[in-house]
Amino acid sequence: MTKYIQRVDANLKNMGTSAKEWTALDIIGFQETENDKGETVKMPLFDFAALKGYKKPNTLYPAPASQSTTAWTNCELCGKNIKNVYWIKNDSKKYSLAVGSECVTHFDQGKSGKEIERNH
């Protein structure tokens, strides 16, 4: 078992959930924004209305509250540093997490963040 899988498994156990309970949050569009290098980039817009009443679980890897979606520092599922934020949700527990492009592949039929964006 890799260290990545160990971290994710430990975090899921800590939150009292399993991987099969989580799904990727839908992308509803795109917006141009400036990244931390001053470059204009297209970023996905997520269906945050679908998260009404959801909360952050007690994750082992909470992201700093001051982070914006264009300058995130860590995935709330595995703890790795991330550049682009994607979102997953757990409908049964009403939880949401900010995750990186590697972690989101486990929650949308194996599609990477960029594939999810292209399919939108």
Side-chain angles (χ1 to χ4, degrees), residues 36-51:
D36 58 348
K37 296 177 185 173
E39 304 163 329
T40 300
V41 294
K42 272 189 169 181
M43 296 298 292
L45 293 171
F46 295 92
D47 185 11
F48 290 116
L51 296 181

Side-chain angles (χ1 to χ4, degrees), residues 93-114:
K93 299 240 185 205
K94 301 288 188 200
Y95 289 160
S96 68
L97 285 178
V99 299
S101 58
E102 181 178 346
C103 280
V104 79
T105 64
H106 303 288
F107 304 101
D108 197 1
Q109 302 159 347
K111 296 176 188 166
S112 71
K114 291 297 177 192

Side-chain angles (χ1 to χ4, degrees), residues 69-82:
T69 58
T70 59
W72 213 268
T73 57
N74 68 279
C75 173
E76 293 181 307
L77 183 62
C78 74
K80 287 185 176 182
N81 289 338
I82 57 175

